[in-house]
Amino acid sequence: MELFFLLLLIGLMAFALGSGYPVAFALPGSAIITVLLAAIAGYFFGGGTDAYFASGGPSQWLSAGVTNLRGVYWEPERDTLIAIPLFIFMGIMLQRSKIAEDLLVTMAQLFGPVPGGLGISVVVVGALLAATTGIVGATVVAMGLISLPAMMRNGYSNPLSSGIIAASGTLGQIIPPSIVLIILADQLASAVDQAGQTRQELYKAVTGEIVMPSEYAVVSTSAGDMFLGALVPGLLLVGIYILFILAVAVLFPKLAPAVPYEGKYDLRFLGKVFLAMVPPLALIILVLGSIIGGIATVNQAGAIGAVGAMIMAGYRLHPGGRLRYVPAILALTAMALLVFVLSTYDTNVQNIQSADDWFGVQLAVVAVLLLVVSIAWSGYRAFVTDDALTGVMVETAKTTSLVFIILLGAAMLTAAFRSFGGEELVKHFLEGLPGGFWTKFVIVMAVIFVLGFFLDFIEIAVVVVPIVSPILLADPEANVSAVWLGVMIGLNIQTSFLTPPFGFALFYLRGVAPAAVRTIQIYKGVVSFICLQLLALVIVAFYPPLVNYLPARSSLTAETAPPPVNPALQHCVENWVAHAFDERGTEIKAAVDRAAALDLSYLPEDLREDFQEGVEKAGESFTLMAEIQDIKRRLAEGAVDYRPEHRIVRAIQRDARRIEVQLSELETRIRRGFGDTEALQARYDRLEAEHDALLAQIPGTWTDTQAAYNRITSEDRSTRTTYRRTVDQAYEPLVGLISVIEARDALAQLAEPLSQLAADAPSMDRDMADERFKEVERQFGEVAGAGDIRGLLADARREIDARSPDPEKAAEYLAEAQALFRSELDWRSRARSDLLPELMAYDEAIKGTIGLRQQPRLPHEQALFIASCNSIHRDISLNF
């Protein structure tokens, strides 16, 4: 019966969407009706309202709905959704203010003389508008009204013109900032949690180990990561479009002829180009640059974009005059002043310590006031001119409300789909397919592509993605990142705007195209661009760094970057060290040998022995890294025979675990007397026999094959653990010794407090001794390597504080402390001149390799290498 109600749910949704019922109500309405019918049927015919639900029941479904409602509107962790209305406002404001129109006309004049130049200008403008507006309808309508008549007048083919405009208008779905990417990031955040839990359970089930190594965890994403990840694929798509138009123009000149500009390319034209292009480009740089540079979150960048669009609209909507550009100039002045203040002064009011600090705060206040005046002035202009601000606000509210209502409705539908066992059915179907991850992935992408013929991008993003993405992300075979999967789905969803019969870009273009352009010509025109989008999809699928590199690089080079000792980075950190040893191993070994030959005879014994042991460990690291590379080779060779048998056995065990779940549920129902006990027992016996038959299919050689491969993996883990411990022990003594020597001056400054303490000690009472000694002890405690002196002072203090004070013993401890102080000062002085330069050279030679794990953050070169390493998906399935 669960399957019946699942089909009913899908049928109701398809019927409602197909009949034109609003999506915002079709999705939750289908869920509510189906859940009510299942609950009523269960109450009357199944012995309870939960009878026809695969998991939970109406109460659990309602609880999931409340949770999703709270998650969308109240949970601060999902505040990324706040960026949606901000970017919508930015896009509509730029479209209403005709800045997009100016850009389109100017670019057409600039590129027109090039073969296919008019079409190329449409693509370039589409990309720029995508990075500013991101609204398909506004972009297609604007370009359709302005460019299509011009292209027709200049002899462009109607199908080609239609295809260029429609495809360029959809770039806003993949080029950031994009509402689609924000929604996908939000949906993938919960999918990552589910996939991580699934992978953890799988690891525990097949290995018996409770804790899964963090390097096997599912890599999460955020809206900022999605923006970074989609940037290169979006530009790739733009490049493919331009190359296609150039090829058509060269091979078939009559389809896309050059359009000479009738005016002059003079300073006036240059100024026109400047005013049309620079402000939108500056806004793009401000919005995306602030996210990429880690200066602003996605929400803050959205606010920057909204304010920037309003300031630009303020001068574009103004009828003219001397004051036209004053608000924009005030904003630029304020921003320049803020940049100067923040880079020159400490503007923290609580830290004001000088007249310069106070002057910096005053300058910051002036800059902020200028910016506020600029924003208010521009907003007033937009409000009184053609009622633009009111119209933009109303459209923003409508679009935002639609998106959020669809999010809530889709959450209710997804909860109902899961409660009837739909997710398990999809999971079992995909996991039962031959070919591993890529078969599942291709099937999912094909389904999304087909759904794009009938559904809008939001419905696909919020209905399909939560169901299929946890399954794909949990698969350890490809071990794909969430940002890569999100961008792939985003590229696929983008085609939904072009695919007949319900491609929205086609509808928008049809609405503004002249009657001479027939609908069939529009459909023909988009076919080539759909194929180009599929080509881009294939390229990104086979080369994941196009998506993964920028987010990884941004993360590893940011101020908040994880330290090199982070467990999730160790695989790539060790790859870097192996690479460095191959290239500069001789040089690093020579540095280690020079360190081993240093004269350390005058150092304290403990520091000398620790350093010498560290140098020995540094030498051992080369041998251990060679062993790691040898084991890596053996693992690759062993995987050739192990992988096919592993895949067969794990598939059998997966099916067996699925039956075990059913057996457990049946056993519970039989024990509690739910339903027909005899029928349930018969089903239980049948499933148990099927379970045993499945396990009997496991090859007899499996135990030996697995044991042989596991011996190599165990050796790999052991060697890597030994290597990490060895390099840490090699570098820590070096850092400690350098810090002790460099603390020589800080130690010398304590000569006077120590001698004064020794002179005053005989006349001190307990309270005075406690206060004076503890202060000097604290000072020595802050000096590296002065712990022994501090200990002697503490011993002297205790002799004075004792019930039976022993002044002579205290004096002995003080004398010993003074002697140790002089000795420490002597050897540190000598080491600073004779030894420290050699130690610094040694540190410089090994800190990027042997000492890399102990650095506070990754150096730039290593960060770039590790970002490149992490951007490639690594098959980890043989560890499961």
Side-chain angles (χ1 to χ4, degrees), residues 191-240:
V192 166
D193 294 337
Q194 297 177 48
Q197 184 177 356
T198 301
R199 189 177 286 186
Q200 172 69 50
E201 292 172 353
L202 176 63
Y203 187 81
K204 180 180 178 181
V206 299
T207 65
E209 298 180 15
I210 298 175
V211 179
M212 181 181 71
S214 58
E215 63 179 307
Y216 299 155
V218 180
V219 181
S220 186
T221 187
S222 65
D225 288 340
M226 290 292 289
F227 283 4
L228 289 171
L231 187 59
V232 173
L235 296 177
L236 171 68
L237 198 56
V238 171
I240 291 174

Side-chain angles (χ1 to χ4, degrees), residues 598-599 602 741 827-839:
L598 291 173
D599 179 14
Y602 54 90
I741 295 173
W827 79 257
R828 291 189 198 211
S829 298
R830 179 181 174 185
R832 188 168 65 173
S833 59
D834 297 347
L835 187 59
L836 187 59
E838 295 291 337
L839 295 178

Side-chain angles (χ1 to χ4, degrees), residues 87-88 91-96 100-101 104 126 129-130 132-146 165-173 178-180 395 399 402 456-458 494 496-498 502-513:
F87 285 123
I88 291 174
I92 297 175
M93 180 61 78
L94 289 174
Q95 189 267 333
R96 286 286 187 96
E101 180 179 330
L104 190 57
L129 294 181
T132 52
T133 66
I135 300 176
V136 171
T139 305
V140 172
V141 168
M143 293 195 296
L145 287 171
I146 301 165
I165 293 172
S168 301
T170 65
L171 289 171
Q173 299 306 296
S178 163
I179 297 172
V180 175
E395 287 299 318
T399 307
L402 176 65
D456 189 8
F457 71 94
I458 297 180
Q494 186 185 349
S496 68
F497 283 90
L498 299 178
F502 300 122
F504 285 87
L506 309 181
F507 290 154
Y508 296 137
L509 184 58
R510 177 67 278 172
V512 298

Side-chain angles (χ1 to χ4, degrees), residues 99 368 435 438 461 512 559 604 753 756 774:
I99 291 172
V368 171
W438 289 106
V512 298
E559 291 294 330
Q756 190 65 46
K774 284 187 175 179

